[in-house]
Amino acid sequence: MDNARKLLMIAPEKCISCGTCELACSLAHEGEFRPSKSRITVYRFEMGVTIPMTCFQCDSPACVAACRTSALVKNTESGVVTINSEKCIGCRMCEMACPFGNIAYNAVTKTPMKCDLCGGDPECAKYCPTHAIEYVPADAAVSKKKYEFSAKMAAAIGEGNK
Amino acid sequence: MTELIEITIDGRKVAVEKGTKILSAAKELGIEIPTLCHHEALPPDGNCRLCQVEVVERGKRKLAVSCMYPVRGPMEVFTNTERVMDARRSVIRLHLNRCPQATILQDLAREYGVEPLDERFVAEHDDLCIRCGRCVRACAALGNNCLGFAGRGWDRTIIPPFDEPPVGCLGCAACAEVCPTGAIKVREEGNIREIWGREFRLVRCTSCGEYFATKEQLEKVDSCGVEVSEICPHCRKRDEAKRMKIS
Ligand code: SF4
Ligand code: SF4
Ligand code: FES
């Protein structure tokens, strides 16, 4: 089961700050090129350091713990934290709960915006010109050095959810 | 063990678990039935009557409220007969008489060919609440129970206990989010959010200084076993990226 899991591997050192991932994401999810509606955000720091940030699909997700209607669930097979917008009552508990700010409630569509890995074919990874974002099997990711980033995240998440 | 029952909806067959509501069975076939009081997250209440369909069961043909009516045995369902359309039209007309300014009802009226009301009547009646109780059920789903029905018949309304600013309210405005007609007003200005006559002082993000939530909302999240900070979601995301940069 677990070896079927794939995750987004982000290598910030390869990111050239072009913002293509944000455009691809907002187009796929909201039908428009609008970074503010993207589930992935590219942070541009000084000296050319850029970090793309999106949902970590936590192992014990704070958003799921906060959602009273099971609109948000952790899929045990794929590991993805999915949202069923029909079950959302717009309380914004998830938005307040996520320690990493990875969910934003969209009052127009009445749906929280969070990364759903595009149902298994993430647009950001597909269009990133430098492969700074890759969608890889979880075990392959672990074996690579590049996985450090995700591992760091996992550690951070563990702390955040204690 | 779940028992599967095969039924027919508009001539198409579908097998559903015993007890499934007709509305959900139809959805499995991609057949849409209009609803107002129904919400997927909330227990059904069957009060708006818009979702009626025709059911033939044990030789009897009748109208049924599809969001409440369970599949118990073989049945045939029709969602678009003349009788169903008539039922929908009269339901829409009734709701429209109460809330002529509700756009969702105006849209339904147009779609189903219900003749528009006199403009003067519309202008004079600004009640938007159709008494569907979605707000009541949403608040209950959050475990807060701040809202309820009061009065009877035409005078039935939705109010907080004793019609006073609700003590247990989080100011989350989920009630306003699920309201199909936009009847519940939320006012937000500076550091104040007002709903149901209660004013909430908003919490200021310790990082950027934006007002982003009520204290009660954050406490509620905390009560779900999630440690919550007074940093707004935007800054949390940026801070996390910053941390990645340093480490
Ligand atoms: S806003 Fe929707 S998804 Fe988020 S916690 Fe509330 S009901 Fe769940
Ligand atoms: S305020 Fe809105 S949700 Fe509540 S009963 Fe009225 S119409 Fe329904
Ligand atoms: S949706 Fe079924 S009665 Fe309102």
Side-chain angles (χ1 to χ4, degrees), chain A residues 63-111:
Chain A
C63 57
V64 173
C67 181
R68 304 286 88 191
T69 64
S70 306
L72 280 162
V73 289
K74 171 91 178 165
N75 185 307
T76 46
E77 243 164 74
S78 65
V80 184
V81 176
T82 56
I83 159 99
N84 175 353
S85 58
E86 289 195 332
K87 283 194 147 194
C88 174
I89 56 170
C91 63
R92 296 178 184 243
M93 295 265 287
C94 50
E95 190 176 16
M96 300 307 152
C98 176
F100 314 109
N102 276 322
I103 302 191
Y105 183 74
N106 182 336
V108 178
T109 55
K110 301 207 174 217
T111 311

mmCIF file of all heavy atoms in Angstrom, chain A residues 63-111:
data_model
loop_
_atom_site.group_PDB
_atom_site.id
_atom_site.type_symbol
_atom_site.label_atom_id
_atom_site.label_comp_id
_atom_site.label_asym_id
_atom_site.label_seq_id
_atom_site.Cartn_x
_atom_site.Cartn_y
_atom_site.Cartn_z
ATOM 1 N N CYS A 63 -5.684 20.107 10.082
ATOM 2 C CA CYS A 63 -6.924 20.536 9.423
ATOM 3 C C CYS A 63 -8.009 19.474 9.555
ATOM 4 O O CYS A 63 -9.170 19.775 9.811
ATOM 5 C CB CYS A 63 -6.665 20.847 7.949
ATOM 6 S SG CYS A 63 -5.951 19.476 7.015
ATOM 7 N N VAL A 64 -7.607 18.213 9.405
ATOM 8 C CA VAL A 64 -8.563 17.111 9.522
ATOM 9 C C VAL A 64 -9.080 17.026 10.954
ATOM 10 O O VAL A 64 -10.276 16.818 11.190
ATOM 11 C CB VAL A 64 -7.920 15.774 9.086
ATOM 12 C CG1 VAL A 64 -8.840 14.601 9.360
ATOM 13 C CG2 VAL A 64 -7.560 15.815 7.608
ATOM 14 N N ALA A 65 -8.173 17.225 11.912
ATOM 15 C CA ALA A 65 -8.574 17.177 13.318
ATOM 16 C C ALA A 65 -9.585 18.273 13.632
ATOM 17 O O ALA A 65 -10.480 18.098 14.451
ATOM 18 C CB ALA A 65 -7.351 17.319 14.213
ATOM 19 N N ALA A 66 -9.462 19.413 12.954
ATOM 20 C CA ALA A 66 -10.332 20.545 13.262
ATOM 21 C C ALA A 66 -11.663 20.487 12.532
ATOM 22 O O ALA A 66 -12.637 21.090 12.963
ATOM 23 C CB ALA A 66 -9.617 21.851 12.916
ATOM 24 N N CYS A 67 -11.717 19.749 11.422
ATOM 25 C CA CYS A 67 -12.943 19.747 10.615
ATOM 26 C C CYS A 67 -14.022 18.903 11.274
ATOM 27 O O CYS A 67 -13.844 17.701 11.480
ATOM 28 C CB CYS A 67 -12.655 19.227 9.208
ATOM 29 S SG CYS A 67 -14.123 19.242 8.159
ATOM 30 N N ARG A 68 -15.153 19.524 11.596
ATOM 31 C CA ARG A 68 -16.229 18.843 12.318
ATOM 32 C C ARG A 68 -17.158 18.047 11.413
ATOM 33 O O ARG A 68 -18.013 17.315 11.877
ATOM 34 C CB ARG A 68 -17.082 19.856 13.108
ATOM 35 C CG ARG A 68 -16.339 20.743 14.091
ATOM 36 C CD ARG A 68 -15.905 20.028 15.325
ATOM 37 N NE ARG A 68 -14.579 19.415 15.129
ATOM 38 C CZ ARG A 68 -14.034 18.551 15.971
ATOM 39 N NH1 ARG A 68 -14.680 18.182 17.038
ATOM 40 N NH2 ARG A 68 -12.842 18.058 15.725
ATOM 41 N N THR A 69 -17.045 18.254 10.110
ATOM 42 C CA THR A 69 -18.022 17.622 9.215
ATOM 43 C C THR A 69 -17.384 16.563 8.314
ATOM 44 O O THR A 69 -18.031 16.068 7.393
ATOM 45 C CB THR A 69 -18.689 18.674 8.313
ATOM 46 O OG1 THR A 69 -17.688 19.239 7.466
ATOM 47 C CG2 THR A 69 -19.344 19.773 9.124
ATOM 48 N N SER A 70 -16.128 16.242 8.555
ATOM 49 C CA SER A 70 -15.399 15.279 7.720
ATOM 50 C C SER A 70 -15.348 15.700 6.259
ATOM 51 O O SER A 70 -15.285 14.860 5.366
ATOM 52 C CB SER A 70 -15.997 13.875 7.818
ATOM 53 O OG SER A 70 -16.068 13.471 9.143
ATOM 54 N N ALA A 71 -15.379 16.993 6.021
ATOM 55 C CA ALA A 71 -15.178 17.475 4.657
ATOM 56 C C ALA A 71 -13.722 17.244 4.266
ATOM 57 O O ALA A 71 -13.404 17.005 3.113
ATOM 58 C CB ALA A 71 -15.528 18.956 4.561
ATOM 59 N N LEU A 72 -12.853 17.331 5.254
ATOM 60 C CA LEU A 72 -11.438 17.048 5.032
ATOM 61 C C LEU A 72 -11.139 15.677 5.597
ATOM 62 O O LEU A 72 -11.468 15.394 6.746
ATOM 63 C CB LEU A 72 -10.579 18.089 5.758
ATOM 64 C CG LEU A 72 -10.406 19.442 5.087
ATOM 65 C CD1 LEU A 72 -9.932 20.463 6.097
ATOM 66 C CD2 LEU A 72 -9.437 19.358 3.933
ATOM 67 N N VAL A 73 -10.523 14.823 4.790
ATOM 68 C CA VAL A 73 -10.126 13.514 5.290
ATOM 69 C C VAL A 73 -8.737 13.149 4.783
ATOM 70 O O VAL A 73 -8.306 13.608 3.722
ATOM 71 C CB VAL A 73 -11.113 12.388 4.881
ATOM 72 C CG1 VAL A 73 -12.434 12.506 5.614
ATOM 73 C CG2 VAL A 73 -11.332 12.371 3.387
ATOM 74 N N LYS A 74 -8.070 12.332 5.565
ATOM 75 C CA LYS A 74 -6.766 11.804 5.150
ATOM 76 C C LYS A 74 -7.023 10.475 4.468
ATOM 77 O O LYS A 74 -7.511 9.537 5.090
ATOM 78 C CB LYS A 74 -5.892 11.630 6.392
ATOM 79 C CG LYS A 74 -4.593 10.886 6.151
ATOM 80 C CD LYS A 74 -3.469 11.830 5.809
ATOM 81 C CE LYS A 74 -2.154 11.054 5.625
ATOM 82 N NZ LYS A 74 -1.160 11.898 4.946
ATOM 83 N N ASN A 75 -6.723 10.388 3.199
ATOM 84 C CA ASN A 75 -6.906 9.139 2.466
ATOM 85 C C ASN A 75 -5.819 8.155 2.878
ATOM 86 O O ASN A 75 -4.645 8.411 2.671
ATOM 87 C CB ASN A 75 -6.858 9.410 0.956
ATOM 88 C CG ASN A 75 -7.154 8.170 0.147
ATOM 89 O OD1 ASN A 75 -6.538 7.128 0.337
ATOM 90 N ND2 ASN A 75 -8.101 8.286 -0.756
ATOM 91 N N THR A 76 -6.246 7.038 3.474
ATOM 92 C CA THR A 76 -5.255 6.129 4.046
ATOM 93 C C THR A 76 -4.418 5.455 2.968
ATOM 94 O O THR A 76 -3.292 5.060 3.222
ATOM 95 C CB THR A 76 -5.931 5.052 4.915
ATOM 96 O OG1 THR A 76 -7.047 4.540 4.198
ATOM 97 C CG2 THR A 76 -6.385 5.624 6.232
ATOM 98 N N GLU A 77 -4.962 5.317 1.783
ATOM 99 C CA GLU A 77 -4.202 4.644 0.739
ATOM 100 C C GLU A 77 -3.189 5.567 0.068
ATOM 101 O O GLU A 77 -2.008 5.271 -0.011
ATOM 102 C CB GLU A 77 -5.148 4.077 -0.312
ATOM 103 C CG GLU A 77 -5.067 2.562 -0.395
ATOM 104 C CD GLU A 77 -6.234 1.999 -1.132
ATOM 105 O OE1 GLU A 77 -6.249 2.147 -2.374
ATOM 106 O OE2 GLU A 77 -7.131 1.429 -0.487
ATOM 107 N N SER A 78 -3.685 6.708 -0.411
ATOM 108 C CA SER A 78 -2.801 7.598 -1.166
ATOM 109 C C SER A 78 -2.026 8.538 -0.249
ATOM 110 O O SER A 78 -1.029 9.123 -0.661
ATOM 111 C CB SER A 78 -3.621 8.426 -2.150
ATOM 112 O OG SER A 78 -4.495 9.283 -1.443
ATOM 113 N N GLY A 79 -2.505 8.690 0.990
ATOM 114 C CA GLY A 79 -1.846 9.614 1.894
ATOM 115 C C GLY A 79 -2.254 11.060 1.688
ATOM 116 O O GLY A 79 -1.837 11.951 2.420
ATOM 117 N N VAL A 80 -3.100 11.308 0.685
ATOM 118 C CA VAL A 80 -3.493 12.677 0.371
ATOM 119 C C VAL A 80 -4.596 13.150 1.329
ATOM 120 O O VAL A 80 -5.487 12.397 1.679
ATOM 121 C CB VAL A 80 -4.014 12.774 -1.083
ATOM 122 C CG1 VAL A 80 -4.337 14.213 -1.443
ATOM 123 C CG2 VAL A 80 -2.989 12.205 -2.052
ATOM 124 N N VAL A 81 -4.492 14.402 1.755
ATOM 125 C CA VAL A 81 -5.568 15.007 2.536
ATOM 126 C C VAL A 81 -6.522 15.650 1.541
ATOM 127 O O VAL A 81 -6.173 16.614 0.860
ATOM 128 C CB VAL A 81 -5.026 16.047 3.534
ATOM 129 C CG1 VAL A 81 -6.167 16.734 4.270
ATOM 130 C CG2 VAL A 81 -4.079 15.384 4.525
ATOM 131 N N THR A 82 -7.709 15.066 1.422
ATOM 132 C CA THR A 82 -8.631 15.522 0.383
ATOM 133 C C THR A 82 -9.773 16.341 0.974
ATOM 134 O O THR A 82 -10.097 16.223 2.150
ATOM 135 C CB THR A 82 -9.255 14.328 -0.369
ATOM 136 O OG1 THR A 82 -9.876 13.478 0.588
ATOM 137 C CG2 THR A 82 -8.205 13.559 -1.134
ATOM 138 N N ILE A 83 -10.380 17.145 0.137
ATOM 139 C CA ILE A 83 -11.506 17.960 0.577
ATOM 140 C C ILE A 83 -12.729 17.670 -0.288
ATOM 141 O O ILE A 83 -12.661 17.634 -1.508
ATOM 142 C CB ILE A 83 -11.147 19.467 0.554
ATOM 143 C CG1 ILE A 83 -12.388 20.354 0.504
ATOM 144 C CG2 ILE A 83 -10.231 19.849 -0.586
ATOM 145 C CD1 ILE A 83 -12.731 20.871 1.852
ATOM 146 N N ASN A 84 -13.838 17.418 0.391
ATOM 147 C CA ASN A 84 -15.115 17.249 -0.288
ATOM 148 C C ASN A 84 -15.910 18.531 -0.043
ATOM 149 O O ASN A 84 -16.490 18.720 1.029
ATOM 150 C CB ASN A 84 -15.835 16.023 0.293
ATOM 151 C CG ASN A 84 -17.234 15.848 -0.269
ATOM 152 O OD1 ASN A 84 -17.730 16.700 -1.002
ATOM 153 N ND2 ASN A 84 -17.880 14.760 0.085
ATOM 154 N N SER A 85 -15.918 19.399 -1.028
ATOM 155 C CA SER A 85 -16.474 20.735 -0.792
ATOM 156 C C SER A 85 -17.972 20.701 -0.482
ATOM 157 O O SER A 85 -18.491 21.588 0.191
ATOM 158 C CB SER A 85 -16.202 21.640 -1.992
ATOM 159 O OG SER A 85 -16.747 21.075 -3.156
ATOM 160 N N GLU A 86 -18.665 19.656 -0.907
ATOM 161 C CA GLU A 86 -20.099 19.565 -0.593
ATOM 162 C C GLU A 86 -20.349 19.400 0.900
ATOM 163 O O GLU A 86 -21.413 19.708 1.398
ATOM 164 C CB GLU A 86 -20.706 18.368 -1.325
ATOM 165 C CG GLU A 86 -20.814 18.571 -2.815
ATOM 166 C CD GLU A 86 -21.740 17.551 -3.443
ATOM 167 O OE1 GLU A 86 -21.858 16.454 -2.879
ATOM 168 O OE2 GLU A 86 -22.343 17.874 -4.474
ATOM 169 N N LYS A 87 -19.349 18.885 1.594
ATOM 170 C CA LYS A 87 -19.517 18.663 3.030
ATOM 171 C C LYS A 87 -18.968 19.810 3.857
ATOM 172 O O LYS A 87 -18.932 19.750 5.087
ATOM 173 C CB LYS A 87 -18.822 17.366 3.436
ATOM 174 C CG LYS A 87 -19.583 16.128 3.065
ATOM 175 C CD LYS A 87 -18.991 14.957 3.791
ATOM 176 C CE LYS A 87 -20.048 13.934 4.142
ATOM 177 N NZ LYS A 87 -19.532 12.976 5.127
ATOM 178 N N CYS A 88 -18.509 20.839 3.197
ATOM 179 C CA CYS A 88 -17.915 21.977 3.904
ATOM 180 C C CYS A 88 -18.995 22.959 4.320
ATOM 181 O O CYS A 88 -19.854 23.327 3.530
ATOM 182 C CB CYS A 88 -16.903 22.668 3.002
ATOM 183 S SG CYS A 88 -16.241 24.169 3.713
ATOM 184 N N ILE A 89 -18.939 23.389 5.603
ATOM 185 C CA ILE A 89 -19.913 24.382 6.059
ATOM 186 C C ILE A 89 -19.277 25.764 6.224
ATOM 187 O O ILE A 89 -19.899 26.686 6.735
ATOM 188 C CB ILE A 89 -20.609 23.957 7.376
ATOM 189 C CG1 ILE A 89 -19.594 23.678 8.475
ATOM 190 C CG2 ILE A 89 -21.483 22.720 7.142
ATOM 191 C CD1 ILE A 89 -20.221 23.492 9.861
ATOM 192 N N GLY A 90 -18.037 25.890 5.793
ATOM 193 C CA GLY A 90 -17.418 27.223 5.781
ATOM 194 C C GLY A 90 -17.066 27.798 7.131
ATOM 195 O O GLY A 90 -17.039 29.014 7.302
ATOM 196 N N CYS A 91 -16.740 26.939 8.096
ATOM 197 C CA CYS A 91 -16.425 27.446 9.446
ATOM 198 C C CYS A 91 -14.995 27.959 9.539
ATOM 199 O O CYS A 91 -14.645 28.642 10.484
ATOM 200 C CB CYS A 91 -16.641 26.342 10.473
ATOM 201 S SG CYS A 91 -15.543 24.922 10.247
ATOM 202 N N ARG A 92 -14.166 27.604 8.584
ATOM 203 C CA ARG A 92 -12.762 28.041 8.526
ATOM 204 C C ARG A 92 -11.882 27.490 9.633
ATOM 205 O O ARG A 92 -10.797 28.016 9.891
ATOM 206 C CB ARG A 92 -12.663 29.572 8.537
ATOM 207 C CG ARG A 92 -13.284 30.208 7.321
ATOM 208 C CD ARG A 92 -13.182 31.723 7.455
ATOM 209 N NE ARG A 92 -13.847 32.372 6.343
ATOM 210 C CZ ARG A 92 -13.238 33.128 5.451
ATOM 211 N NH1 ARG A 92 -11.950 33.342 5.536
ATOM 212 N NH2 ARG A 92 -13.914 33.687 4.474
ATOM 213 N N MET A 93 -12.347 26.483 10.295
ATOM 214 C CA MET A 93 -11.530 25.888 11.363
ATOM 215 C C MET A 93 -10.219 25.345 10.789
ATOM 216 O O MET A 93 -9.167 25.447 11.412
ATOM 217 C CB MET A 93 -12.307 24.753 12.034
ATOM 218 C CG MET A 93 -13.546 25.213 12.765
ATOM 219 S SD MET A 93 -13.237 25.500 14.505
ATOM 220 C CE MET A 93 -13.088 23.800 15.057
ATOM 221 N N CYS A 94 -10.295 24.760 9.595
ATOM 222 C CA CYS A 94 -9.101 24.174 8.972
ATOM 223 C C CYS A 94 -8.056 25.246 8.702
ATOM 224 O O CYS A 94 -6.862 25.061 8.926
ATOM 225 C CB CYS A 94 -9.479 23.454 7.678
ATOM 226 S SG CYS A 94 -10.482 24.431 6.549
ATOM 227 N N GLU A 95 -8.546 26.370 8.215
ATOM 228 C CA GLU A 95 -7.650 27.486 7.887
ATOM 229 C C GLU A 95 -6.896 27.947 9.136
ATOM 230 O O GLU A 95 -5.704 28.224 9.087
ATOM 231 C CB GLU A 95 -8.489 28.629 7.301
ATOM 232 C CG GLU A 95 -7.672 29.739 6.708
ATOM 233 C CD GLU A 95 -8.545 30.813 6.054
ATOM 234 O OE1 GLU A 95 -9.775 30.840 6.318
ATOM 235 O OE2 GLU A 95 -7.999 31.611 5.297
ATOM 236 N N MET A 96 -7.628 28.015 10.243
ATOM 237 C CA MET A 96 -7.008 28.454 11.496
ATOM 238 C C MET A 96 -6.103 27.371 12.078
ATOM 239 O O MET A 96 -5.188 27.654 12.828
ATOM 240 C CB MET A 96 -8.084 28.790 12.541
ATOM 241 C CG MET A 96 -9.035 29.891 12.139
ATOM 242 S SD MET A 96 -8.133 31.350 11.637
ATOM 243 C CE MET A 96 -9.302 32.057 10.491
ATOM 244 N N ALA A 97 -6.401 26.105 11.742
ATOM 245 C CA ALA A 97 -5.673 25.003 12.373
ATOM 246 C C ALA A 97 -4.330 24.713 11.713
ATOM 247 O O ALA A 97 -3.361 24.396 12.402
ATOM 248 C CB ALA A 97 -6.530 23.741 12.365
ATOM 249 N N CYS A 98 -4.255 24.806 10.412
ATOM 250 C CA CYS A 98 -3.016 24.408 9.708
ATOM 251 C C CYS A 98 -1.827 25.232 10.210
ATOM 252 O O CYS A 98 -1.809 26.445 10.073
ATOM 253 C CB CYS A 98 -3.159 24.569 8.196
ATOM 254 S SG CYS A 98 -1.615 24.207 7.325
ATOM 255 N N PRO A 99 -0.836 24.582 10.795
ATOM 256 C CA PRO A 99 0.304 25.318 11.352
ATOM 257 C C PRO A 99 1.157 25.979 10.274
ATOM 258 O O PRO A 99 1.991 26.820 10.580
ATOM 259 C CB PRO A 99 1.130 24.239 12.069
ATOM 260 C CG PRO A 99 0.381 22.970 11.957
ATOM 261 C CD PRO A 99 -0.700 23.128 10.945
ATOM 262 N N PHE A 100 0.944 25.570 9.016
ATOM 263 C CA PHE A 100 1.794 26.071 7.935
ATOM 264 C C PHE A 100 1.059 26.991 6.970
ATOM 265 O O PHE A 100 1.562 27.323 5.908
ATOM 266 C CB PHE A 100 2.392 24.882 7.169
ATOM 267 C CG PHE A 100 2.935 23.827 8.077
ATOM 268 C CD1 PHE A 100 2.295 22.606 8.201
ATOM 269 C CD2 PHE A 100 4.055 24.083 8.844
ATOM 270 C CE1 PHE A 100 2.785 21.636 9.060
ATOM 271 C CE2 PHE A 100 4.553 23.111 9.711
ATOM 272 C CZ PHE A 100 3.916 21.888 9.820
ATOM 273 N N GLY A 101 -0.169 27.336 7.307
ATOM 274 C CA GLY A 101 -0.924 28.253 6.453
ATOM 275 C C GLY A 101 -1.212 27.695 5.073
ATOM 276 O O GLY A 101 -1.319 28.441 4.100
ATOM 277 N N ASN A 102 -1.367 26.395 4.980
ATOM 278 C CA ASN A 102 -1.536 25.784 3.660
ATOM 279 C C ASN A 102 -2.983 25.609 3.201
ATOM 280 O O ASN A 102 -3.239 24.984 2.184
ATOM 281 C CB ASN A 102 -0.807 24.436 3.608
ATOM 282 C CG ASN A 102 0.662 24.619 3.278
ATOM 283 O OD1 ASN A 102 1.017 25.475 2.469
ATOM 284 N ND2 ASN A 102 1.522 23.839 3.897
ATOM 285 N N ILE A 103 -3.936 26.138 3.969
ATOM 286 C CA ILE A 103 -5.327 26.116 3.513
ATOM 287 C C ILE A 103 -5.876 27.532 3.581
ATOM 288 O O ILE A 103 -5.688 28.228 4.568
ATOM 289 C CB ILE A 103 -6.230 25.229 4.400
ATOM 290 C CG1 ILE A 103 -5.710 23.796 4.436
ATOM 291 C CG2 ILE A 103 -7.662 25.255 3.883
ATOM 292 C CD1 ILE A 103 -6.675 22.817 5.070
ATOM 293 N N ALA A 104 -6.527 27.950 2.518
ATOM 294 C CA ALA A 104 -7.182 29.253 2.540
ATOM 295 C C ALA A 104 -8.619 29.057 2.067
ATOM 296 O O ALA A 104 -8.851 28.473 1.006
ATOM 297 C CB ALA A 104 -6.450 30.226 1.628
ATOM 298 N N TYR A 105 -9.570 29.510 2.861
ATOM 299 C CA TYR A 105 -10.964 29.348 2.483
ATOM 300 C C TYR A 105 -11.334 30.341 1.384
ATOM 301 O O TYR A 105 -11.045 31.526 1.487
ATOM 302 C CB TYR A 105 -11.867 29.557 3.708
ATOM 303 C CG TYR A 105 -13.325 29.342 3.425
ATOM 304 C CD1 TYR A 105 -13.829 28.054 3.259
ATOM 305 C CD2 TYR A 105 -14.200 30.419 3.313
ATOM 306 C CE1 TYR A 105 -15.172 27.843 2.987
ATOM 307 C CE2 TYR A 105 -15.536 30.209 3.037
ATOM 308 C CZ TYR A 105 -16.023 28.927 2.877
ATOM 309 O OH TYR A 105 -17.348 28.728 2.604
ATOM 310 N N ASN A 106 -11.953 29.845 0.339
ATOM 311 C CA ASN A 106 -12.402 30.703 -0.756
ATOM 312 C C ASN A 106 -13.902 30.945 -0.594
ATOM 313 O O ASN A 106 -14.719 30.045 -0.803
ATOM 314 C CB ASN A 106 -12.105 30.017 -2.093
ATOM 315 C CG ASN A 106 -12.486 30.864 -3.292
ATOM 316 O OD1 ASN A 106 -13.339 31.747 -3.196
ATOM 317 N ND2 ASN A 106 -11.855 30.604 -4.419
ATOM 318 N N ALA A 107 -14.263 32.160 -0.190
ATOM 319 C CA ALA A 107 -15.654 32.457 0.126
ATOM 320 C C ALA A 107 -16.535 32.503 -1.124
ATOM 321 O O ALA A 107 -17.751 32.366 -1.040
ATOM 322 C CB ALA A 107 -15.752 33.777 0.883
ATOM 323 N N VAL A 108 -15.922 32.687 -2.277
ATOM 324 C CA VAL A 108 -16.721 32.748 -3.507
ATOM 325 C C VAL A 108 -17.154 31.346 -3.950
ATOM 326 O O VAL A 108 -18.325 31.101 -4.215
ATOM 327 C CB VAL A 108 -15.924 33.450 -4.638
ATOM 328 C CG1 VAL A 108 -16.731 33.472 -5.924
ATOM 329 C CG2 VAL A 108 -15.550 34.861 -4.209
ATOM 330 N N THR A 109 -16.191 30.423 -3.947
ATOM 331 C CA THR A 109 -16.533 29.054 -4.354
ATOM 332 C C THR A 109 -16.994 28.214 -3.156
ATOM 333 O O THR A 109 -17.404 27.073 -3.313
ATOM 334 C CB THR A 109 -15.318 28.352 -4.987
ATOM 335 O OG1 THR A 109 -14.231 28.412 -4.064
ATOM 336 C CG2 THR A 109 -14.898 29.024 -6.277
ATOM 337 N N LYS A 110 -16.908 28.808 -1.959
ATOM 338 C CA LYS A 110 -17.270 28.117 -0.720
ATOM 339 C C LYS A 110 -16.501 26.820 -0.548
ATOM 340 O O LYS A 110 -17.066 25.793 -0.174
ATOM 341 C CB LYS A 110 -18.780 27.877 -0.661
ATOM 342 C CG LYS A 110 -19.565 29.178 -0.744
ATOM 343 C CD LYS A 110 -20.906 29.092 -0.077
ATOM 344 C CE LYS A 110 -21.560 30.461 -0.082
ATOM 345 N NZ LYS A 110 -22.315 30.776 1.068
ATOM 346 N N THR A 111 -15.234 26.870 -0.835
ATOM 347 C CA THR A 111 -14.370 25.703 -0.692
ATOM 348 C C THR A 111 -13.012 26.123 -0.154
ATOM 349 O O THR A 111 -12.459 27.112 -0.616
ATOM 350 C CB THR A 111 -14.115 25.049 -2.064
ATOM 351 O OG1 THR A 111 -15.345 24.869 -2.718
ATOM 352 C CG2 THR A 111 -13.426 23.714 -1.913
#
